[in-house]
Amino acid sequence: MDRLSSEKRTLAHRAVNSPVRFLLSPGFVPPAAPLGPVAQQPTFSSTYTIVQPSVVVVGGCPACRVGVLEDDFTCLGILCAIIFFPIGILFCLALRQRRCPNCGATFG
């Protein structure tokens, strides 16, 4: 009888701790089934475009983009200003060169 009572206790213990007991309890409500297909999220490409603003410095060097162009008078312009004095000044102004002090590039 001792063996039979131990088996009954084991069965009773299993019945109390069984997950089936919780499923069959009076307050148990089963989870609702999904109501249809779930909408899929849109996919996005992993390509990023970075637009950098271009800053244009007035009088900046187009070659190195660092220096600022300076006006230099050419030797021919100075010579024309001296020889053809009043009109030669116009030649001197027309024959200017723009030079970058940073990279040394000259622009006519």
Side-chain angles (χ1 to χ4, degrees):
M1 193 142 172
D2 193 28
R3 180 175 172 222
L4 189 57
S5 64
S6 71
E7 285 179 13
K8 284 183 182 179
R9 267 188 268 143
T10 305
L11 288 174
H13 180 71
R14 285 185 188 162
V16 169
N17 293 330
S18 170
V20 175
R21 177 175 116 9
F22 296 112
L23 293 177
L24 299 178
S25 65
F28 176 73
V29 177
L35 297 176
V38 178
Q40 189 176 17
Q41 292 184 354
T43 57
F44 296 101
S45 65
S46 62
T47 304
Y48 297 103
T49 303
I50 298 174
V51 178
Q52 293 189 359
S54 61
V55 177
V56 178
V57 178
V58 177
C61 178
C64 68
R65 300 187 187 273
V66 175
V68 179
L69 296 178
E70 297 175 348
D71 285 335
D72 288 336
F73 297 107
T74 61
C75 292
L76 179 62
I78 294 173
L79 186 64
C80 286
I82 293 172
I83 294 175
F84 306 108
F85 172 59
I87 306 276
I89 294 176
L90 295 176
F91 286 117
C92 183
L93 293 174
L95 294 173
R96 286 185 296 184
Q97 277 188 340
R98 296 180 61 101
R99 189 178 68 82
C100 175
N102 185 46
C103 65
T106 56
F107 303 97

